[in-house]
């Protein structure tokens, strides 16, 4: 066979356990084997049990890897693993705790940073802020301001630190990263494609603004730096000014000039302790407070900022009705628009609405996207007016998506017209159909005031009626979870006739016929439901329920993965079966069903502090979902919600 002897020995043992062979007593190095009848069901049971065992061992390995790569207290991890919930304090604890303790004794940045020290903090904060883990080469390209396709395609050019170390060569940036790895401020984790992560020492360095003594082979003089920084410096200055003004606009008359500087550089001062969850906190990491104060003082002198009677900062009078993004460079404007959307602050709505008239179509597109993220109904009419004059297809698509995210019923007529207009791009019509699913159905909702140039025909109107009647009607799921919904009932009776509902038919085709053409329809309905239910939309990752019987293509996992991809959420197949269970439909009482699944699941990856959405295909008694809910909450999940494709009629009882 070419396999290791251990594997062959295990295979023989399992075949004997399944009754496929019968082994007689050993005679020296030989033994006799008789072949029995091949029982496919027993062999399948053996195969399933071996897979469960492999999954369990893999889960153990994953826990070991997580332990090795974790920045948390290792003593606490070990105690928790063995069920000890007591305190984990110790004078001499673990390497992670000692690293944090020793770093607190390092030199903090009380004064101006040297060029290498500032570059080191910029590298660390770049790694900390990246939404996805990347390798050191990618970090170097981001900091260098690379225009490579990979950087632009995944939006790394929108990163706060993009191009921040453009004055350094790629070799110098690599030297800084290597030194931070050597000094244990950074670590590489992963196998074939290792990625950068902060160590506990690195986290403390960013938090406390430690002066890290990195070395550069060549440190540019001021005269050498200026020519190379020319194309970045203006944009960087504008970005700092725009950030200061936006912060004051978001929290006016709350902070003094010193308090604002502490907030923006992420100071640990008690003065700004209540602002650590604010989106502007630490957004200008790598700068000193004195540098930010210099910008603030200049804005005060120019009249762009002012102080109230208590000495707190407010916008200058002439800025309350103007929008500084119109004076920015194109690249800085794009960054600022994206940043405004990410804050999700309604304060940004007037400025973003004004950008819907920007001459650059890309800015109009991003402004529409940002308004969708904020989801303030004040943006509905401006977006509808934009669609009445806009010619660029991609801008139209983003404006339509934004209307769906806002969810204002007054946009329904316009969206229906776009969905039925053959002259629109297919992706815009699809966006309109998705947006319509997110709008509430409210009697007497105010119709659109925008004139549609292409009227809806009667036949089209009938199609819309038919579309509404064929929509799913979501149902709540009772249980211990924070929120639970099903897309609809699986089936219903009309008189004596039984039939599957529309969503039930789609679920049946996916699960039992392997028809993946229905997947997009189910994902559309689920995405619309999640956007309509705020309780369901607070999610970090989607967790599929493992199948009761092994299938070549598990429909629940397939659906969960597609839904996570559509929404941009994480996909986390954390739950696996630790033992075989009987089909729940064979059980007659709730007690039997709960006993059947009790302790039948385990975790193969951590979920601590994660907000998860557990996904299954059918809700009947809820016993399986209750068991998984208990497992996830015991493992430290911060929030557990539930979504199923369908539910049975009698589950209401």
């Amino acid at each position: 066979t070419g396999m290791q002897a251990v594997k062959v020995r295990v295979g023989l043992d399992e075949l004997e356990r399944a009754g496929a062979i019968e082994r007689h007593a050993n005679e020296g190095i030989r033994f006799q084997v008789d072949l029995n009848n091949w029982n496919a069901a027993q062999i399948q049971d053996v195969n399933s049990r071996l897979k469960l065992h492999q999954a369990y061992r893999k889960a153990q390995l994953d826990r070991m890897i997580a332990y090795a790569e974790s920045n948390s207290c290792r003593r606490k991890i070990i105690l928790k693993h063995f069920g000890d919930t007591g305190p984990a304090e110790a004078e001499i604890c673990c390497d992670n705790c000692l690293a944090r303790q020793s770093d607190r004794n390092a030199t903090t940045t009380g004064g101006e940073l040297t060029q290498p020290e500032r570059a080191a903090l910029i590298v660390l904060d770049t790694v900390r802020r990246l939404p996805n883990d990347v390798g050191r080469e990618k970090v170097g390209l981001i900091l260098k301001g690379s225009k490579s396709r990979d950087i632009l395609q995944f939006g790394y050019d929108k990163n706060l630190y993009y191009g921040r170390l453009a004055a350094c060569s790629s070799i110098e940036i690599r030297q800084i990263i290597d030194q931070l790895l050597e000094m244990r401020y950074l670590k590489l984790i992963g196998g074939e494609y290792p990625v950068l992560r902060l160590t506990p020492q690195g986290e403390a360095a960013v938090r406390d603004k430690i002066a890290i003594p990195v070395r550069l082979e060549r440190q540019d003089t001021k005269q050498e730096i200026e020519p190379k920084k020319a194309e970045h410096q203006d944009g960087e200055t504008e970005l700092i000014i725009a950030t200061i003004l936006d912060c004051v606009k978001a929290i006016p008359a709350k902070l003094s000039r010193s308090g604002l500087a502490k907030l923006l550089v992420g100071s640990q001062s008690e003065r700004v302790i209540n602002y650590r969850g604010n989106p502007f906190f630490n957004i200008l990491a790598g700068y000193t407070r004195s540098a930010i104060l210099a910008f603030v003082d200049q804005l005060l002198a120019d009249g762009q900022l002012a102080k109230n009677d208590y000495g707190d900062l407010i916008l200058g009078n002439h800025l309350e009705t103007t929008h500084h993004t119109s004076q920015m460079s194109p690249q800085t404007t794009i960054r600022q628009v994206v940043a405004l959307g990410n804050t999700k602050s309604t304060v940004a709505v007037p400025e973003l609405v004004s950008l819907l008239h920007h001459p650059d179509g890309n800015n109009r597109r991003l402004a529409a996207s940002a308004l969708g993220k904020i989801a303030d109904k004040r943006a509905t009419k401006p977006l509808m007016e934009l669609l009445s004059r806009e010619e660029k297809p991609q801008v139209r698509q983003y404006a339509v998506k934004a209307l769906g995210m806002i969810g204002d019923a007054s946009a329904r007529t316009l969206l229906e017209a776009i969905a039925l207009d053959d002259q629109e791009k297919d992706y815009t019509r699809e966006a309109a159909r998705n947006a319509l699913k997110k709008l509430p159905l409210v009697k007497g909702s105010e119709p659109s005031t925008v004139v549609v140039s292409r009227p809806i025909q009667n036949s089209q109107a009938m199609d819309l009626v038919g579309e509404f009647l064929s929509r799913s009607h979501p149902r709540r799921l009772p249980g211990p979870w924070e929120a639970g919904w099903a897309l609809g009932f699986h089936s219903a009776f009309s008189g004596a006739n039984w039939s599957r509902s529309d969503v039930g038919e789609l679920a049946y085709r996916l699960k039992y016929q392997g028809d993946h053409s229905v997947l997009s329809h189910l994902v559309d309905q689920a995405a619309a439901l999640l956007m309509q239910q705020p309780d369901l939309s607070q999610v970090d990752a989607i967790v599929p329920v493992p199948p009761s019987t092994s299938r070549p293509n598990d429909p629940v996992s397939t659906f969960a993965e597609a839904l996570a991809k559509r929404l941009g959420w994480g996909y986390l197949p954390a739950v696996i079966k630790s033992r075989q269970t009987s089909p729940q439909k064979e059980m007659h009482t709730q007690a039997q069903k709960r006993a059947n699944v009790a302790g039948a699941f385990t975790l193969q990856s951590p979920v601590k502090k994660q907000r998860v959405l557990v996904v299954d295909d059918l809700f009947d008694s809820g016993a399986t979902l209750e068991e998984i809910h208990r497992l996830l909450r015991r493992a430290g999940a911060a929030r557990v919600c539930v979504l199923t494709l369908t539910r049975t009629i009698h589950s209401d009882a």
Side-chain angles (χ1 to χ4, degrees), residues 90-215:
E91 185 176 349
I92 300 176
C93 193
C94 67
D95 59 323
N96 287 344
C97 293
L98 292 174
R100 289 192 190 90
Q101 186 176 0
S102 62
D103 217 56
R104 289 186 183 276
N105 300 324
T107 305
T108 56
T109 59
E112 190 70 30
L113 291 168
T114 65
Q115 183 188 341
E117 289 169 348
R118 183 177 173 190
L121 283 180
I122 287 173
V123 170
L124 292 178
D125 205 38
T126 300
V127 173
R128 183 179 73 87
R129 286 176 177 271
L130 283 170
N132 302 309
D133 293 331
V134 299
R136 50 184 165 184
E137 299 299 333
K138 185 70 66 65
V139 171
L141 291 173
I142 294 168
L143 291 169
K144 183 67 179 168
S146 169
K147 303 287 186 183
S148 68
R149 180 181 177 185
D150 195 30
I151 294 294
L152 300 178
Q153 180 181 358
F154 293 99
Y156 291 117
D157 56 323
K158 309 297 191 302
N159 187 278
L160 175 67
Y161 292 107
Y162 176 73
R164 184 66 68 83
L165 297 185
C168 298
S169 68
S170 298
I171 294 175
E172 289 170 328
I173 296 173
R174 178 63 179 264
Q175 287 174 354
I176 296 171
I177 294 174
D178 287 345
Q179 289 178 68
L180 291 171
L181 284 165
E182 184 179 349
M183 290 188 284
R184 298 180 181 255
Y185 288 99
L186 288 175
K187 60 184 175 181
L188 281 172
I189 64 170
E192 187 177 357
Y193 302 104
V195 296
L196 283 174
R197 290 260 185 94
L198 293 184
T199 63
Q201 190 174 339
E203 291 174 352
V206 174
R207 182 191 65 228
D208 299 329
K209 303 295 182 295
I210 301 300
I212 303 173
V214 296
R215 306 174 307 280

Side-chain angles (χ1 to χ4, degrees), residues 16-36:
E16 186 175 16
R17 186 173 295 152
I21 64 173
E22 185 177 352
R23 182 167 48 180
H24 300 288
N26 295 349
E27 297 177 5
I29 61 172
R30 301 174 183 273
F31 58 86
Q32 182 178 340
V33 174
D34 291 338
L35 292 179
N36 295 332

Side-chain angles (χ1 to χ4, degrees), residues 538-555:
Q538 301 172 31
V539 172
D540 298 316
I542 296 179
V543 175
V545 172
S548 55
T549 56
S550 179
R551 298 177 186 274
N553 293 308
D554 173 33

